[in-house]
Amino acid sequence: MSISSRHEARLLTADEAELVAQSHHPKLREANDGNLAELISRLRERRDRARDVSRRQRRELRGKAAPSGARPATDNTGTREKAALLAAAVKRASKETERRRNAQARGSLVTSARRALAMKQAAGDPTAGRPSSRTADAGMNPVPNEGLAPSGALDSQGQEVAMRRGGGPR
């Protein structure tokens, strides 16, 4: 729900009203990154203070805490609304920071993609040295097993022993 500027002015001090005005659209886009970070920190401080005052007043209303001012608190709706208004201003400014961060990341991503494309195009065609169709090759090369006896060795060396065991020639 939007709040009118007259209602904002009634709830906020002049300094707080200026901070909240800087968090609205035209001024928010024009602020540089340093000013935006400073604005967010100042808004957070004011929001936290308003929230703490509202909590203290609520405790006074319930009778949990002694009155801190000259008069005891009778209502905390104004401070609650003030805290909500400052919280909305913090949210707007934080969204703008996030929008800027995303735009910068998108820009660097586009730059990186363009650089990668240029490198790929400069490398040329990766299929230039390949044949146009699949062709047969010489195949696998035999690897000799050094642990085996040379070809024919069993015939000459083990034949006599094998014949004695087997009962003679066949």
Side-chain angles (χ1 to χ4, degrees):
M1 180 175 108
S2 63
I3 298 175
S4 69
S5 58
R6 180 182 294 169
H7 189 64
E8 279 183 7
R10 189 181 67 78
L11 289 173
L12 303 172
T13 64
D15 188 35
E16 291 168 344
E18 176 60 32
L19 288 175
V20 170
Q22 288 177 9
S23 75
H24 286 295
H25 171 62
K27 290 185 180 179
L28 191 61
R29 289 277 174 117
E30 295 168 0
N32 62 20
D33 292 338
N35 291 346
L36 187 59
E38 183 183 341
L39 174 68
I40 290 173
S41 70
R42 290 176 65 195
L43 282 169
R44 281 183 180 151
E45 288 173 8
R46 299 297 173 103
R47 176 202 60 191
D48 293 345
R49 184 179 183 289
R51 185 185 58 207
D52 293 345
V53 168
S54 174
R55 286 177 181 167
R56 190 197 62 207
Q57 287 175 344
R58 190 169 57 229
R59 286 180 55 81
E60 287 178 17
L61 287 172
R62 291 191 324 233
K64 299 269 186 181
S68 63
R71 298 181 289 153
T74 57
D75 192 16
N76 75 335
T77 55
T79 1
R80 219 174 357 154
E81 288 177 359
K82 181 181 195 174
L85 221 124
L86 291 166
V90 169
K91 189 174 182 180
R92 278 192 302 272
S94 297
K95 265 188 169 180
E96 175 64 16
T97 302
E98 187 67 23
R99 186 196 67 77
R100 289 180 184 187
R101 187 179 302 125
N102 288 341
Q104 184 179 11
R106 196 170 28 253
S108 85
L109 184 66
V110 168
T111 303
S112 297
R114 286 192 177 135
R115 190 175 71 241
L117 179 63
M119 289 170 60
K120 182 177 180 182
Q121 289 173 343
D125 188 14
T127 62
R130 296 184 193 160
S132 60
S133 64
R134 297 178 72 182
T135 58
D137 195 8
M140 294 172 52
N141 294 326
V143 177
N145 188 349
E146 302 295 331
L148 291 178
S151 179
L154 289 179
D155 288 343
S156 59
Q157 291 178 358
Q159 183 175 9
E160 184 181 327
V161 178
M163 286 178 64
R164 273 194 237 143
R165 255 191 249 136
R170 293 184 185 180

